Each structure stands twice: as C-alpha cells, then as structure tokens.
C-alpha cells in the first residue's frame, strides 16, 4: 500500500515539475522572439488574454477582472483579447492549452508571468507590481504579501 502511495506521489510530483517547466519554457521562447500580435506598443505593460466562445469562466470572471484592471491602470496598460478559436496560430505559438490563459508582458516587451485558468484582478495587479510595473494610482495595488 505504501509503495503505491509513494509511486503516485512521485508521478504527481513529476507531472507538476513538467507543467512548471513547460510554462517557463513557453515564457522564455516568447521572450526571445517578437511577440507576434498586432497593436502591441513597447514602453507599456500588457496583458495578453486568450479566450474562446462559450468559455463561462472567461465571461463571468476573467473579462470583469480585466475591465477593472484596465480601469485602475487607464492608458498605461495594454490589454489584448485573442479568440483562440479564430487565431489558433497565436494560441499554439504561446502554448495555450486551455482558456482562459493570461500572459503578463512588461514594458520592455518581455513576457514575465502566465496564468493558466482564471486570474482575478488582485492577482494580476500583484503580478504586475512584482515585475516592477506600477499603475497611475499605486495606492490601489494590493499588498504582495497578502496574495502569496
């Protein structure tokens, strides 16, 4: 019994390590190449958001979170919504396996964070702050320690 439990734990840990490694690989690969989506302007941070028709978490949670984040940041933040069903080339290039997926890109154009699944506004704001990006009103960014 303990042997099977140990084997299950090792398989689970290996799966987690592989998932984490692939996320880092996708970020590294995309940081080495042009971002590959129209409208991006260097000098401002961006959120690249992949969605699909019929995605309920996208409609119920992710879009409202991005609207609130955009309201906090104003013109200092670029938000790009990409329908992965109409742009499978971009979804493949960025390694999107499920929606919603959001990538945070710093003001130098380097992808710095990826969120597979729903990312609420406080998490996105904390991640932007962690990579050194600050909104027009820094008082509205939550405490990083509270997020962890």
């Amino acid at each position: 019994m303990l042997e099977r439990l140990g084997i299950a734990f090792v398989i689970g840990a290996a799966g987690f390590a592989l998932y984490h490694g692939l996320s880092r690989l996708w970020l590294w690969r995309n940081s080495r190449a042009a971002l590959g989506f129209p409208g991006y302007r260097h000098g401002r941070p961006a959120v690249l958001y992949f969605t699909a028709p019929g995605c309920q978490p996208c409609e119920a949670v992710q879009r409202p979170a991005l609207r609130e984040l955009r309201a906090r940041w104003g013109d200092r933040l670029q938000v790009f919504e990409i329908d992965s069903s109409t742009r499978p080339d971009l979804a493949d290039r960025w390694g999107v396996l499920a929606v919603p997926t959001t990538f945070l890109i710093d003001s130098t154009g380097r992808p710095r964070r990826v969120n597979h699944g729903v990312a609420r506004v406080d998490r996105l704001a904390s991640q932007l702050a962690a990579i050194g990006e600050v909104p027009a009103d820094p008082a509205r960014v939550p405490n990083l320690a509270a997020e962890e």
Side-chain angles (χ1 to χ4, degrees):
M1 177 70 173
L2 288 177
E3 291 175 358
R4 289 183 181 175
L5 186 60
I7 290 171
F9 178 76
V10 168
I11 290 172
F16 177 77
L18 180 64
Y19 174 78
H20 185 68
L22 286 175
S23 291
R24 287 192 171 274
L25 176 66
W26 288 320
L27 286 175
W28 178 80
R29 185 184 69 186
N30 286 321
S31 71
R32 306 291 294 164
L35 293 177
F37 57 93
Y40 174 75
R41 292 185 307 261
H42 282 283
R44 295 189 318 177
V47 176
L48 181 59
Y49 161 53
F50 285 91
T51 186
C55 172
Q56 292 304 315
C58 299
E59 295 288 332
V61 181
Q62 196 64 67
R63 275 198 188 112
L66 289 172
R67 275 195 298 270
E68 185 177 338
L69 191 68
R70 191 179 296 179
R72 288 183 188 185
W73 283 68
D75 290 339
R76 293 200 58 229
L77 180 69
Q78 304 173 79
V79 177
F80 298 95
E81 182 175 325
I82 297 176
D83 183 347
S84 58
S85 66
T86 60
R87 294 295 311 264
D89 58 321
L90 278 178
D92 288 343
R93 185 174 180 283
W94 283 84
V96 175
L97 301 175
V99 292
T101 297
T102 53
F103 291 89
L104 276 70
I105 302 165
D106 67 14
S107 56
T108 65
R110 191 171 139 218
R112 299 285 301 271
R113 298 280 194 273
V114 61
N115 296 295
H116 301 284
V118 171
R120 299 186 188 283
V121 68
D122 291 340
R123 179 181 178 94
L124 292 168
S126 295
Q127 289 175 336
L128 284 166
I131 64 173
E133 304 295 343
V134 182
D137 182 8
R140 297 194 66 187
V141 176
N143 183 359
L144 291 176
E147 175 69 23
E148 302 299 318

